[in-house]
Amino acid sequence: MRTIDWVDGRIIAIDQTLLPDALTTLRIDTVDQLVDAIRRLAIRGAPALGVAGALGVALAARGGGDVRAEAARLRVARPTAVNLAWGVERVLARLDEGVDAVVAEAVHVLEEDVRRNRELGLRGARWLVDRLGGPVNVHTHCNAGALACVEWGTALGVVRALRDADALGHVYVDETRPLLQGSRLTAWELARMGVAHTVVVDSAGPTVIARGLADVVVVGADRIAANGDVVNKIGTYPLALAAARAGVPFVVAAPESTIDPATPDGASVEIEVRDPAEVVGDRPTAALNYAFDVTPADLVTAIITDERIISGKPLG
Ligand code: MRU
């Protein structure tokens, strides 16, 4: 089943807020509904947001309202993952050609996501096996799986390809506070894939790495700046620091659409700050709920995309 799809002129998407307890889908007919689904993380993960942006413009075009105004609202539904604006802009560029051209381009973005992530996963697995042999034990963070894309996944796409090549050892994933994308979504996906895995609390990630339980850290990304700084789910940076200290490779798996040449460095990226209630509930406690962090380029061993491998520092 696809995480997000275009069926009979509307968006059908898995409601990720309900997983792993319930696997249900949302029917989305308007940009307002889509913006709401994105803001409450029913649809989430950078590549899925790119596809949502593309399909949202198709919804707007079919709705017959002010497409550019609706696209502008959709574009900023969440600020950090560059894919959302990328998907919106790519389809909006076809607006003058009429509704059919807009819908065709949006569906093309959807199909392309599947193909590109498969290529990325295969390239990443080959690269790791060439360098590390097998079985490869992986530490990952947040959810960069099929649920963050249309199918297949980015970081978990690499894991999937390692499994298919019989070169996968154990997978460790941290909970990913406060919304638990790791323990809810990634653990659910790994179980369905039949992959041996263990969940640890976020603060245990560096210890998993320091103790040699993981041969590599593989994560996704929400935006990669021109200088190679990687913006990803909060908690990624401590894993990169721990990996550098332990001499373990830190690998980023992301489609080309996540690379943002217009943003010079990580410091220039707007980091989403979410509702403190996600951290402290209704207790009257101040909470600063950063949703993403910046991993400096010099901590990144390699960025694997659907088209190339960008190598940073040498393997440890
Ligand atoms: O807040 P989320 O769940 O949308 O954050 C998702 C992440 O940070 C993922 O790691 C990232 O989008 C890469 S997904 C292939």
Side-chain angles (χ1 to χ4, degrees):
M1 178 181 182
R2 288 181 160 184
T3 299
I4 180 166
D5 209 350
W6 180 257
V7 181
D8 297 334
R10 63 161 64 93
I11 297 172
I12 303 291
I14 293 175
D15 185 343
Q16 300 194 38
T17 63
L18 302 178
L19 284 172
D21 300 322
L23 177 56
T24 57
T25 52
L26 298 166
R27 291 154 53 108
I28 297 173
D29 292 293
T30 66
V31 169
D32 280 345
Q33 290 169 351
L34 182 57
V35 167
D36 176 64
I38 289 172
R39 288 210 173 120
R40 61 187 187 84
L41 270 54
I43 299 171
R44 50 145 297 281
L49 290 176
V51 172
L55 297 180
V57 177
L59 281 182
R62 281 172 54 90
D66 183 342
V67 179
R68 290 190 192 280
E70 294 206 76
R73 279 194 300 115
L74 179 56
R75 201 178 187 285
V76 295
R78 290 186 78 193
T80 304
V82 70
N83 309 62
L84 178 57
W86 170 88
V88 167
E89 296 306 332
R90 183 152 154 192
V91 176
L92 207 52
R94 305 290 301 273
L95 190 57
D96 293 342
E97 296 168 54
V99 176
D100 288 349
V102 165
V103 172
E105 183 66 15
V107 172
H108 185 65
V109 169
L110 174 95
E111 298 299 340
E112 203 180 72
D113 184 80
V114 177
R115 183 177 56 74
R116 285 183 175 266
N117 286 322
R118 276 177 196 265
E119 281 166 17
L120 186 168
L122 292 171
R123 177 173 289 112
R126 267 197 308 269
W127 191 84
L128 286 175
V129 170
D130 281 353
R131 279 153 187 81
L132 301 173
V136 181
N137 298 304
V138 177
H139 188 92
T140 191
H141 182 57
C142 191
N143 173 264
L147 290 167
C149 307
V150 175
E151 300 178 354
W152 193 262
T154 57
L156 281 198
V158 175
V159 165
R160 203 180 286 270
L162 281 171
R163 181 208 57 186
D164 292 349
D166 217 10
L168 181 64
H170 200 84
V171 178
Y172 295 88
V173 55
D174 37 55
E175 287 180 298
T176 318
R177 285 271 302 151
L179 297 178
L180 305 177
Q181 288 93 328
S183 59
R184 287 191 305 111
L185 306 178
T186 298
W188 181 77
E189 282 197 44
L190 290 169
R192 283 166 64 103
M193 285 159 62
V195 166
H197 62 283
T198 301
V199 173
V200 296
V201 297
D202 291 340
S203 45
T207 297
V208 167
I209 295 163
R211 294 196 149 212
L213 297 177
D215 304 308
V216 61
V217 179
V218 187
V219 297
D222 289 86
R223 191 184 296 236
I224 299 170
N227 72 341
D229 288 353
V230 172
V231 182
N232 192 46
K233 176 55 58 187
I234 191 80
T236 302
Y237 177 38
L239 297 177
L241 287 169
R245 182 72 170 80
V248 166
F250 180 86
V251 173
V252 176
E256 288 283 329
S257 53
T258 302
I259 298 176
D260 179 13
T263 297
D265 52 32
S268 315
V269 177
E270 181 180 348
I271 300 294
E272 181 180 7
V273 178
R274 293 185 61 83
D275 188 347
E278 290 179 352
V279 179
V280 292
D282 52 15
R283 289 192 304 282
T285 307
L288 177 53
N289 188 10
Y290 284 129
F292 299 95
D293 62 21
V294 179
T295 297
D298 63 282
L299 294 178
V300 178
T301 309
I303 297 170
I304 295 168
T305 82
D306 44 296
E307 290 179 6
R308 55 190 164 145
I309 291 172
I310 305 162
S311 259
K313 67 185 178 74
L315 285 176

